[in-house]
Amino acid sequence: MITLRRVQKAFQTGSSRQDILHSVDLRIDPGEYVAIMGKSGSGKSTLLNILGALDSADSGEYILAGKPVHKMRQSKRTALRNTEIGFVFQQFQLIPNLSVYQNVLLPLTYGRKKLGRKKARVLQLLEEVGLADKKKQKPSRLSGGEKQRAAIARALVNEPSILLADEPTGSLDEATTETILQLFDRVHQQGTTIVVITHDQEVADRAQRVIHLKDGALA
Amino acid sequence: MRLGNALKLACFGLWANKFRVLSAMMGIVIGLFAVIVLIAIAVGVKDTLLKQMGSLGAEQILVMPGRVLDSANGQKDFLSGITSVPSTLTYEDAKAVEAVPNVKSVIPQLETVSKAVYEEQNVQAVLVGSTHQYSRVQHADLAEGRFFTEEEQQSKKNVIVLGSNIHDALLGKAAEPQSGSTGIPAPQEKTWWQRALDSLMAGTVVSAEEKTLVGQKLTIGEKEYTVIGVLKPNATLGSSTDNNVIMPIETALANTDMKYLNKMIVEANSTEVIDEVDGAVFSAIKQNHKEIDFSVVKQDQMLGAIDNVTVILQVMLLGITAVALFISGTGIMNVMVMSVRERTREIGIRKAIGATTFEIMAQFFFETLLLCVIGGLFGTGLGYAFIELWNQYIEAFTLTLPLWAIQLALGSTVVIGGLFGIYPALKAARMKPSHALRFE
């Protein structure tokens, strides 16, 4: 499903160059649930950005579902993000001026998939994450857990094959964390590949495999 | 994609940020309002000038004292080319012109200022001596009574027709018209509510049945005249009849010391013979004069002069319009650039979930465009409403809003939106999603 070969990434700050990822090799199978752990600055988020085609590696290969992402042009990467990848962020990243319903609908608006009944799909997902009664609310009226559930619904609305989550429970209390993790379990059971970046061992323990990243390299 | 989708998203974007949109729109609303009103003023002024100066028909020729010199472009220069000389045109000149072939009629006019007295009231009036055709040529309609006939003119009857201001002043309905520098009452008419207000202030009651001077006798100079008619208000600049007292020209020549004509209007049989008549009229008058101290002017020459004046107005208007629209456009662009910055995360989210560079660019471009068009519609609507209110309540002159002004205003909003929407749209589209998502 996902193959990274000798992936390198560095950032230039003024005259100094900072290496973030050093020759990362990684393989994630279809339907696998993987947690990536590491200290702050270890390169977790950079790795997730590359996996999510939000950023590109300086060198190395990235193959997703048999497609060479590292060779793709920007427009192809955009289409890939829309059709194959769902994102869940620590800060939820909902658009504040749109309602819960409109936020979840957004990927379908840009979608290339011909989902006949877009409205029904959004309502079904909101039902599944327990937000059907809050579909007209703005994100500012929701609790942290509700916001994250709305973000998960948005990530799943296009039926992606991979769900990438960056510290999805980082801003949530224990009880809410459990709700979100149960939701992830359900999504995983439906066959979706999940890659979670986390500091939290409890979150990592729910994954089938835990990968440790240290100073930009897999430990 | 799917420009329709981008347009839909732009509508959502505007609706979601409606308070920012409203403040951004103010610039374009005020700009377009100014443009619409300025155009209406310019066109209104032009129309008023055309109506007043160009009241001369296409088959009419104006003979006036003094000589109108030609300008550099060969046209009559009515701005600075009029030589100021006392009139030497006489009624005999008018008679000579009547004999010119293809001349249908000649309407000479004598003018002086004199005091008209009725009972205890007296008022300075413009005393006009002319023919029975004066009211037709001068577009002076009667409010009551009648105009004098050709027979009354020939038999030098002491009959007069009053302008509306003179009639009202002599009846004490309104204060005596303010004397200008020439001592001539200002051509100003009071509306019914202004008169009612004056009466209330004076502690009197406005009678439903207003008194009239038709049939009454007035004294002008040493002579007594019978009022046979009153003209409707005709408050046009320069050629108002509101402060006139009109009498037959034969009566005026017999009873007053008026000798020389202020002007003479000559009507040709048709527009086809106008050039021929123009030359013949000039020759006929020239025979009675030692030198050329008069001018013969056709309608097209008069209109040409008005066009010269209004070109200055139009150039000025164009400049003001361009500045107003440029300032509005810059304001909109600044607000949109701010908006793009404030919505950096939103742009990052949209890109992360599949919005292409083109889609983001199209969304922000359409947002600016819609902002300008909606603002333009509001500004145009406000301008239109202002013009309607002005024309309803202000009688100084009429504002005219031509259709092309609305087309120009709305067209310019599209151009402004298009031009000033490009930069914010490009700025939004060029953002890297991974950077935009981290934006604080």
Side-chain angles (χ1 to χ4, degrees):
Chain A
M1 178 79 197
I2 293 174
T3 308
L4 294 182
R5 288 193 200 107
R6 298 180 301 283
V7 165
Q8 301 214 35
K9 182 75 182 176
F11 288 115
Q12 194 82 29
T13 315
S15 59
S16 67
R17 178 188 158 92
Q18 193 184 0
D19 290 327
I20 306 295
L21 296 175
H22 307 278
S23 195
V24 172
D25 288 303
L26 176 66
R27 182 185 164 79
I28 298 171
D29 292 325
E32 201 177 359
Y33 188 165
V34 176
I36 300 174
M37 296 190 79
K39 291 180 181 173
S40 293
S42 61
K44 301 188 300 294
S45 292
T46 305
L47 180 60
L48 194 85
N49 283 342
I50 290 171
L51 289 175
L54 291 171
D55 211 343
S56 54
D58 294 340
S59 64
E61 292 179 2
Y62 172 25
I63 313 294
L64 175 65
K67 295 170 194 163
V69 181
H70 60 285
K71 288 182 180 172
M72 283 181 180
R73 287 180 305 154
Q74 193 58 48
S75 56
K76 291 270 183 193
R77 286 164 180 266
T78 304
L80 187 79
R81 284 199 298 272
N82 184 254
T83 54
E84 299 294 338
I85 305 167
F87 291 95
V88 178
F89 302 95
Q90 181 180 356
Q91 294 304 324
F92 322 119
Q93 304 287 29
L94 297 168
I95 296 176
N97 292 317
L98 300 184
S99 68
V100 169
Y101 174 84
Q102 288 166 332
N103 266 287
V104 176
L105 181 72
L106 210 51
L108 293 175
T109 312
Y110 297 116
R112 276 81 185 151
K113 284 184 180 175
K114 289 189 175 176
L115 293 177
R117 300 178 64 202
K118 292 179 179 179
K119 190 177 173 184
R121 171 72 181 151
V122 174
L123 293 176
Q124 176 207 336
L125 269 170
L126 286 175
E127 191 74 46
E128 282 178 25
V129 299
L131 288 176
D133 57 334
K134 306 224 167 167
K135 63 180 179 187
K136 289 182 181 169
Q137 301 274 5
K138 292 279 165 67
S140 58
R141 306 286 299 271
L142 303 180
S143 68
E146 288 170 333
K147 283 178 191 168
Q148 198 59 297
R149 279 188 278 152
I152 292 169
R154 184 183 64 189
L156 297 174
V157 76
N158 248 346
E159 297 171 346
S161 51
I162 311 162
L163 184 68
L164 297 177
D166 188 359
E167 301 280 8
T169 58
S171 308
L172 305 176
D173 60 38
E174 216 169 289
T176 315
T177 296
E178 182 53 32
T179 313
I180 297 301
L181 292 179
Q182 283 175 8
L183 205 51
F184 275 27
D185 288 343
R186 253 170 41 209
V187 172
H188 177 234
Q189 281 160 17
Q190 287 163 9
T192 308
T193 306
I194 300 180
V195 180
V196 180
I197 282 180
T198 184
H199 278 106
D200 190 339
Q201 190 60 50
E202 193 187 333
V203 174
D205 288 345
R206 302 290 274 262
Q208 293 168 316
R209 179 158 63 113
V210 180
I211 295 167
H212 291 274
L213 201 59
K214 189 178 179 187
D215 297 330
L218 296 181
Chain B
M1 141 159 186
R2 298 130 33 153
L3 285 173
N5 200 23
L7 190 61
K8 205 165 87 179
L9 288 171
C11 292
F12 265 124
L14 289 179
W15 182 249
N17 299 284
K18 40 191 169 294
F19 294 110
R20 189 199 292 127
V21 165
L22 277 177
S23 62
M25 223 185 259
M26 285 310 291
I28 203 90
V29 170
I30 293 167
L32 262 292
F33 172 79
V35 167
I36 286 288
V37 171
L38 281 173
I39 289 176
I41 290 172
V43 177
V45 167
K46 184 179 177 177
D47 285 355
T48 307
L49 281 172
L50 282 172
K51 190 178 164 192
Q52 289 160 12
M53 291 176 72
S55 57
L56 209 58
E59 73 293 345
Q60 292 176 342
I61 293 167
L62 175 69
V63 182
M64 53 194 254
R67 199 167 162 191
V68 183
L69 303 177
D70 289 343
S71 62
N73 62 9
Q75 288 190 323
K76 296 281 181 194
D77 184 358
F78 288 93
L79 283 182
S80 55
I82 300 177
T83 55
S84 178
V85 293
S87 176
T88 54
L89 293 169
T90 61
Y91 193 32
E92 283 64 43
D93 290 331
K95 294 259 173 78
V97 171
E98 271 180 341
V100 169
N102 286 319
V103 167
K104 190 170 137 191
S105 59
V106 179
I107 301 97
Q109 287 180 37
L110 298 163
E111 270 185 29
T112 191
V113 177
S114 190
K115 189 184 280 184
V117 181
Y118 171 69
E119 294 178 348
E120 300 301 310
Q121 299 283 350
N122 67 81
V123 63
Q124 292 282 341
V126 180
L127 198 59
V128 177
S130 191
T131 67
H132 62 285
Q133 298 185 84
Y134 173 90
S135 66
R136 177 176 60 82
V137 173
Q138 206 67 37
H139 308 292
D141 297 329
L142 285 158
E144 53 190 307
R146 62 176 180 82
F147 211 78
F148 52 80
T149 62
E150 190 174 2
E151 289 71 37
E152 285 169 323
Q153 180 193 322
Q154 301 297 346
S155 58
K156 301 178 188 177
K157 290 276 187 198
N158 282 6
V159 289
I160 51 174
V161 176
L162 303 181
S164 61
N165 278 0
I166 301 299
H167 179 254
D168 287 355
L170 289 173
L171 279 178
K173 284 184 189 174
E176 183 177 340
Q178 293 292 310
S179 292
S181 58
T182 58
I184 299 167
Q188 201 170 8
E189 185 228 347
K190 289 208 170 191
T191 58
W192 66 268
W193 59 269
Q194 284 172 320
R195 289 202 301 267
L197 196 65
D198 287 345
S199 302
L200 279 174
M201 296 298 279
T204 58
V205 178
V206 181
S207 166
E209 195 179 317
E210 292 185 331
K211 204 177 162 188
T212 175
L213 284 180
V214 174
Q216 303 298 310
K217 293 203 182 297
L218 297 191
T219 307
I220 299 171
E222 302 291 307
K223 306 281 182 183
E224 209 168 55
Y225 298 86
T226 305
V227 178
I228 57 168
V230 178
L231 297 176
K232 282 183 182 170
N234 178 18
T236 52
L237 292 171
S239 61
S240 169
T241 56
D242 294 352
N243 301 303
N244 291 1
V245 172
I246 305 117
M247 63 175 65
I249 189 164
E250 272 80 0
T251 311
L253 287 167
N255 291 353
T256 71
D257 54 3
M258 287 192 280
K259 186 176 173 191
Y260 295 107
L261 304 178
N262 276 58
K263 63 179 175 184
M264 183 194 317
I265 294 170
V266 181
E267 285 185 304
N269 280 332
S270 70
T271 51
E272 282 76 34
V273 295
I274 195 79
D275 289 333
E276 180 193 317
V277 171
D278 180 55
V281 166
F282 182 83
S283 301
I285 300 172
K286 195 180 161 192
Q287 285 182 351
N288 296 340
H289 291 246
K290 287 178 190 164
E291 54 185 328
I292 303 167
D293 52 0
F294 63 93
S295 297
V296 180
V297 182
K298 287 182 292 177
Q299 185 203 43
D300 57 347
Q301 292 170 321
M302 196 74 102
L303 296 181
I306 295 167
D307 270 347
N308 287 344
V309 175
T310 54
V311 159
I312 299 167
L313 262 177
Q314 284 164 356
V315 169
M316 189 182 75
L317 178 76
L318 198 69
I320 294 171
T321 304
V323 170
L325 294 180
F326 182 77
I327 292 170
S328 306
T330 312
I332 291 268
M333 187 176 74
N334 287 341
V335 171
M336 286 309 291
V337 169
M338 291 263 291
S339 171
V340 167
R341 188 177 159 76
E342 280 174 23
R343 293 162 69 188
T344 298
R345 265 191 184 226
E346 178 189 324
I347 293 164
I349 295 165
R350 287 181 186 275
K351 285 198 154 191
I353 61 178
T356 62
T357 301
F358 180 75
E359 282 169 324
I360 294 290
M361 193 174 75
Q363 179 185 340
F364 280 86
F365 179 78
F366 279 135
E367 280 192 23
T368 314
L369 196 62
L370 282 172
L371 200 67
C372 286
V373 171
I374 295 168
L377 284 171
F378 269 114
T380 307
L382 272 180
Y384 181 79
F386 176 85
I387 291 161
E388 285 293 305
L389 282 174
W390 174 282
N391 288 340
Q392 201 169 340
Y393 293 107
I394 312 286
E395 294 182 357
F397 71 97
T398 305
L399 299 182
T400 310
L401 182 61
L403 182 64
W404 64 259
I406 296 173
Q407 290 166 339
L408 174 77
L410 296 179
S412 62
T413 59
V414 174
V415 174
I416 292 168
L419 283 178
F420 291 93
I422 292 171
Y423 177 65
L426 283 176
K427 203 172 162 64
R430 283 176 182 160
M431 282 182 189
K432 278 189 165 184
S434 55
H435 291 179
L437 283 168
R438 283 201 302 271
F439 183 80
E440 294 294 336

